[in-house]
Amino acid sequence: MWKLDFYILPSKCYSNITEEDIENLDDKVTYINSRERLYVPNEIYDIRDIDQKTIADFLYNNEQSDLSDYLLEIISKQRICSDTYDMIARKTEYGYVPLTELDITENIAQVCVGQIKDTELEKCWKMNDIVSIKRYFIVKVNDYNDYENRVRDCFPHLVFHEEAFKFVDELGKCSDVIEELTRHLIILNDVGKKLYDYHNKNEREVLLELSSGYDLVCSGKGSNEEKRFNKEINYKDQRYQLTCNPHTKLYKKRTDKRIYFCWGRDEIEGHNIIIVRIGGHWQE
């Protein structure tokens, strides 16, 4: 599992912190500690907000209240670190946990765990913000092996066949295609299964909507293709036969750079899409 280091940010205005902010922070801290790594930089105690107050003032001095006690309980249980915020910003990979949404500025928004107001899935922000940050960093890798090791953290609603990346070098240089490859996997992860269910498993309708609505060049079994591309997958000590003709095409309609996939099986992770082969035209 690919773990990121997250750092709690100082607030821009401690007097504006609400109970809801601290409750959200508590949820985020609990979740991040269960899967990633969270730190409180020592420098947080020296940084003043717009009213010239520090977090120490809020936690210990005249500002002390039930709210500050709640925040202190959370902060005091976290790992501390000596890295300054300038040092953190120079790291290759990292994330921030703001105390309130108002502390998220435009220049750091892409690496902040905020609150997503989406009720489709219970507390879905827990997954989506972490995944979004990891997607921000995965497009910066320069090696397919690194990319393969990180995909399951970035696309949790996809199943990757054990040989999915066996032919990935056929796409060309990793840095040249990584953004387009990631774009395809994001769409398949985020909307692929939803569209498949919405269209009652009508592959043609799903592929048409992926093309028209998401600019994803894709195809099922070609009209002139007699061969069905099949692959076995091992899942929980059982072998399953998959039909893998559906594929997306990177960049344009006529290309050999492709992602072959299967719409899934009920027995395998709730019928999530299975990525079977990433590479050139399947000819075997």
Side-chain angles (χ1 to χ4, degrees), residues 30 43 90 102 104 162 184 191 239:
T30 300
E43 189 187 23
R90 291 196 294 270
L102 297 176
I104 303 175
E162 58 193 10
H184 283 232
V191 303
R239 300 295 294 180

Side-chain angles (χ1 to χ4, degrees), residues 76 93 131 218 223:
S76 62
E93 299 172 348
V131 169
C218 47
S223 59

